[in-house]
Amino acid sequence: MKNYALIMAGGKGERFWPYSTDEKPKQFLNLFNEKTMIQLTVERLKSIIPIENTFVVTGQIYVDLVKEQLPTLPEENIIIEPAGRNTAPCIALSAFYIKEKLGDVNLAVLPADHLVEDVENFQKALTNAFEFINKNKNAIVTLGIKPDRPETGYGYIKYQSKDDLNINESVLKVERFVEKPSLEVAKKYLSEGNYLWNAGIFIWNTGTILENTKKFLPNTYNILEEIFKYSGKEYLKILVELYPKVDKISVDYGIMEHAKDIYVIPSEFGWDDVGSWTSVERHSKKDENGNVINENTYYFDSKANIVKSKKITILNDVENLVVIETDDYLIISSKESIQKIREIKNKISKK
């Protein structure tokens, strides 16, 4: 069976505001090199899933950006989500669309804006997941990241322990999904050894997606089923009218916490969800004083700062600052408080 990919590209990337905006969010920005996050996502897939087998689900406002940044993506492979309702309905909408077009196919669902440094190991894990789904059509496989620190910003997956663990290859039964923990609990997960970070990457059959949606989110399923009775202009009209009525819920809460036939591949491929400027720092080149800076930044007695600025920027005797400049804003924050940027954006927007 051919393998397909669904890239979710509808997020607003508010934790990177003002560099990331509602008009051009994180997935369409080049945070690490000349390629944008969505371009890097497609690139790491292409040797196992060609572009013609790749679908992108996004908001209407971002369709032109998708076409511009992925010029070889067939236009009919862009799925429009008329309102952001979180990942469960987004995936179900796409599964309806793809199943109607192709029938039952195996589908890797993944975010557009995550970082993967070891592409070879990522591809190995994904290939093993597809092989498992081919033999176990009703199963759901997720890629869980082997933690290297007690991280409180990620959800976790507990798997049933197995001694002869092969990273990127073993397919293990999931015991449960757990929410973002406190630091003390995260340390406990790390020491116990059978917890993985939830990377939000799922490999399953389109039929399995829809069966689970029907079972656990019947309201969403019924609305989508009604929408897909129509085609052409009528479909788009009904989609805009009915889609906002689906459940606003993540796939983790809506399906994964209830489904039984879920497996995980413990993986190591340099993954990061790139959730804030400090995660960009983790994967960026630093100078001898730990600064991540532009060529036009000069510093004196300063260390461990992050600077993204168009102007000549001078740092003097400061450390652990984040300095972000755009045409409209200049943000200066401590690293410790940069996670509050979403709240600040909302407060400023109200004013």
Side-chain angles (χ1 to χ4, degrees):
M1 184 180 285
K2 283 184 179 178
N3 299 325
Y4 292 80
L6 172 68
I7 298 172
M8 297 181 288
K12 292 186 176 179
E14 290 180 309
R15 286 175 291 181
F16 282 88
W17 179 84
Y19 193 66
S20 168
T21 63
D22 290 352
E23 294 74 32
K24 193 173 185 179
K26 179 178 68 165
Q27 59 269 30
F28 302 109
L29 301 178
N30 50 344
L31 294 175
F32 297 97
N33 55 37
E34 71 281 357
K35 291 185 177 171
T36 66
M37 301 301 288
I38 193 169
Q39 288 171 334
L40 290 171
T41 302
V42 169
E43 187 176 79
R44 78 178 68 107
L45 288 168
K46 67 182 180 184
S47 68
I48 50 178
I49 303 173
I51 191 72
E52 61 269 20
N53 289 4
T54 299
F55 290 81
V56 174
V57 57
T58 192
Q60 180 68 62
I61 188 176
Y62 305 133
V63 168
D64 287 342
L65 276 171
V66 172
K67 289 179 181 177
E68 176 190 318
Q69 295 195 4
L70 304 175
T72 58
L73 180 77
E75 190 169 344
E76 64 270 20
N77 287 17
I78 301 174
I79 302 167
I80 295 171
E81 187 187 23
R85 302 298 291 166
N86 216 319
T87 52
C90 163
I91 293 168
L93 167 71
S94 303
F96 263 105
Y97 184 96
I98 293 167
K99 189 171 184 185
E100 188 167 274
K101 185 179 171 70
L102 300 168
D104 269 346
V105 297
N106 293 336
L107 191 66
V109 178
L110 61 165
D113 54 1
H114 288 184
L115 178 70
V116 168
E117 291 186 322
D118 188 341
V119 173
E120 186 179 341
N121 271 336
F122 167 77
Q123 292 172 345
K124 185 184 286 186
L126 192 58
T127 299
N128 287 329
F130 276 126
E131 287 174 358
F132 187 83
I133 292 297
N134 274 330
K135 296 171 187 171
N136 305 272
K137 186 184 174 185
N138 297 322
I140 303 168
V141 178
T142 184
L143 305 185
I145 308 303
K146 192 168 184 283
D148 58 9
R149 62 184 185 275
E151 176 62 57
T152 60
Y154 303 149
Y156 284 71
I157 301 165
K158 184 180 183 184
Y159 63 88
Q160 294 176 1
S161 295
K162 185 180 176 185
D163 294 331
D164 55 336
L165 183 64
N166 295 314
I167 297 296
N168 305 312
E169 295 178 9
S170 297
V171 184
L172 307 176
K173 192 80 170 66
V174 169
E175 192 170 309
R176 63 190 176 103
F177 284 73
V178 292
E179 298 176 29
K180 296 174 183 177
S182 65
L183 182 58
E184 188 178 329
V185 173
K187 286 178 179 176
K188 180 171 172 281
Y189 291 166
L190 195 62
S191 65
E192 287 185 11
N194 61 327
Y195 285 84
L196 303 165
W197 290 336
N198 179 3
I201 300 170
F202 302 100
I203 301 89
W204 43 356
N205 187 275
T206 47
T208 305
I209 297 171
L210 296 179
E211 285 166 21
N212 279 278
T213 304
K214 187 175 185 179
K215 185 175 182 180
F216 301 117
L217 297 170
N219 172 63
T220 293
Y221 182 88
N222 291 337
I223 289 169
L224 292 172
E225 188 178 44
E226 180 64 27
I227 290 169
F228 279 88
K229 288 177 182 175
Y230 300 86
S231 60
K233 290 182 179 178
E234 277 295 301
Y235 161 77
L236 290 172
K237 180 186 171 189
I238 299 298
L239 177 68
V240 170
E241 182 184 318
L242 295 185
Y243 188 77
K245 298 178 183 178
V246 300
D247 303 285
K248 188 173 186 178
I249 191 167
S250 73
V251 71
D252 294 48
Y253 287 126
I255 292 177
M256 298 302 160
E257 290 191 359
H258 310 290
K260 301 298 180 193
D261 205 10
I262 310 182
Y263 298 82
V264 64
I265 296 178
S267 305
E268 283 183 322
F269 42 73
W271 171 88
D272 200 307
D273 77 342
V274 195
S276 71
W277 285 107
T278 50
S279 58
V280 170
E281 178 189 35
R282 274 200 298 272
H283 301 277
S284 298
K285 186 179 178 182
K286 302 175 186 68
D287 66 17
E288 67 274 13
N289 290 296
N291 295 299
V292 177
I293 55 176
N294 300 109
E295 290 179 359
N296 58 348
T297 298
Y298 300 89
Y299 65 88
F300 305 89
D301 299 319
S302 299
K303 61 184 180 181
N305 299 291
I306 305 168
V307 179
K308 189 103 178 162
S309 173
K310 295 177 182 177
K311 293 188 178 73
I312 293 175
T313 304
I314 299 167
L315 304 178
N316 183 39
D317 199 16
V318 294
E319 59 184 83
N320 293 314
L321 289 183
V322 181
V323 181
I324 308 297
E325 183 230 355
T326 67
D327 290 339
D328 298 313
Y329 294 96
L330 174 63
I331 300 285
I332 303 170
S333 169
S334 67
K335 282 185 194 172
E336 190 180 12
S337 298
I338 195 64
Q339 292 280 17
K340 297 176 185 173
I341 202 72
R342 181 188 286 171
E343 301 164 34
I344 292 167
K345 174 186 182 286
N346 293 334
K347 286 176 182 176
I348 289 176
S349 297
K350 287 176 183 175
K351 290 181 180 181

